Amino acid sequence: MTGALGTGARGADRLPRIALTGATGYVGGAFLRHLSGMSSPWPVTALVRRPPRRPLPFVTYVQGELPGRLPVGFPPPGTDVLVHLAGENRSRDREVLHAVNVAGTRALLGAAPDSLKGVLLGSSMSVYGRGAQIRVDETAPVRPSTALGRARLGAERAVAESMRRGGGTAYLLRPRFITGRDDLAFLPGISRLRKLPLRVRADRTHFSVIDVEDYGSVIAQLARRVMERAARGTPVRTAVNVGYRRPVALQDLFDLLAPPPGPAPLRWLPAAPARALCSVLPGHGASRLGERLDLVTLSHWADVGLLESEIGTALTAKSPETVVRSYRAYEPEQETS
């Protein structure tokens, strides 16, 4: 792939042409919903395993899969911005994670047309590693401690290097927790944590969160920034923490979520020894539990000043508690007589 900044000035004001992976996923769906709300949605070519039952009129769907089934001509000629949100995040197999997240990303970049002005990559704060993170910014050392975190960092480096060689912009997006109507992980996990006998300093544990619909808006705004930077000849290659400016306290999450039925559990087991025990026990199950406890019993709070410098503060100034409150009903309501 070679850069095309010379064409940027001519096309800065037209609709960006988007190539999208992960279109049917949690974040990809939110991005497409955001575009759907525009008076003139941007043209999108989406790589999907199978076309959706309800296709969107502004989206052209092409069938394929990373890394081995990338169809010829994707990303298509004329693409301005590649929004790469597809990836493998469930497997524990290092080779699978590398094949999809790293080799698959390289395959996409190698097939990109000369018109490409920038790439938005869906990554994660997991690249910063384990342990408490308090107002961590993008200059913090990256020390991924899991195979998934290392694969995400490998994809970040592939995108940054490709855009450096081609003269384009790379935004490497690092959210921590993404919530929303279809959240199957974060808030349900916090609800389960409330029921465990763990002692957690909930008032001193803080999380960076972003509503998935707002994340879709962030992606669209940064895609527009890619076009603006191409027109001005000011490309950047940078990680971007994604979240609201103010974190949400674990105690506030406990208070906002519906209380479990019956008496509250006895908080007899400190969280730190539980994490330490998981780190020395054999087996993937103990390791995975340790990773989850690390996530939900230690602060993971990012500074989003760089994001605000790119898109402004209107979105980041939102109250995370207000956002969470709108999605609090994750457990069946208890019937009352």
Side-chain angles (χ1 to χ4, degrees), residues 57-321:
F58 59 91
V59 180
T60 300
Y61 299 92
V62 296
Q63 287 186 265
E65 187 175 358
L66 296 175
R69 292 180 52 223
L70 185 63
V72 175
F74 185 89
T79 295
D80 294 306
V81 184
L82 170 62
V83 179
H84 183 24
L85 303 176
E88 174 58 59
N89 58 20
R90 295 182 181 179
S91 174
R92 306 288 291 177
D93 188 313
R94 181 177 58 186
E95 293 185 0
V96 171
L97 291 168
H98 185 275
V100 177
N101 297 320
V102 184
T105 297
R106 289 174 179 162
L108 272 174
L109 296 168
D114 290 347
S115 59
L116 192 67
K117 299 171 181 63
V119 179
L120 275 65
L121 174 70
S123 187
S124 165
M125 278 180 64
S126 64
V127 300
Y128 294 123
R130 298 180 69 170
Q133 297 155 359
I134 300 175
R135 294 201 72 169
V136 62
D137 66 20
E138 293 83 357
T139 65
V142 286
R143 301 190 182 99
S145 57
T146 65
L148 175 58
R150 289 187 286 273
R152 283 174 169 157
L153 182 58
E156 285 192 8
R157 287 173 171 169
V159 169
E161 176 59 20
S162 177
M163 291 298 98
R164 185 193 66 79
R165 292 196 309 266
T169 286
Y171 289 123
L172 314 171
L173 307 179
R174 295 177 179 173
R176 177 64 280 181
F177 295 114
I178 307 169
T179 189
R181 288 172 295 181
D182 300 318
D183 176 8
L184 300 177
F186 175 52
L187 287 184
I190 296 298
S191 184
R192 290 191 293 270
L193 177 64
R194 293 182 80 256
K195 302 176 184 179
L196 295 179
L198 287 175
R199 289 210 309 270
V200 182
R201 304 186 77 172
D203 60 331
R204 299 187 182 183
T205 302
H206 295 83
F207 302 134
S208 283
V209 300
I210 187 76
D211 177 80
V212 71
E213 305 301 324
D214 286 336
Y215 193 12
S217 175
V218 166
I219 293 169
Q221 292 181 67
L222 289 177
R224 175 61 75 183
R225 287 289 288 158
V226 168
M227 300 292 287
E228 293 171 353
R229 287 188 170 279
R232 297 170 183 168
T234 57
V236 294
R237 273 75 65 180
T238 182
V240 181
N241 293 332
V242 178
Y244 302 120
R245 180 189 308 159
R246 187 168 56 79
V248 62
L250 177 59
Q251 186 60 59
D252 290 334
L253 293 175
F254 282 170
D255 294 341
L256 287 168
L257 293 170
L266 298 175
R267 304 293 182 184
W268 59 270
L269 180 62
R275 293 194 303 268
L277 180 62
C278 290
S279 69
V280 299
L281 288 176
H284 289 304
S287 174
R288 194 170 185 84
L289 177 58
E291 292 169 11
R292 290 176 177 173
L293 289 178
D294 182 272
L295 278 178
V296 297
T297 63
L298 295 174
S299 289
H300 294 274
W301 171 18
D303 183 287
V304 296
L306 195 155
L307 175 65
E308 292 180 332
S309 72
E310 293 291 319
I311 69 169
T313 61
L315 186 150
T316 59
K318 284 188 176 182
S319 161
E321 293 86 2

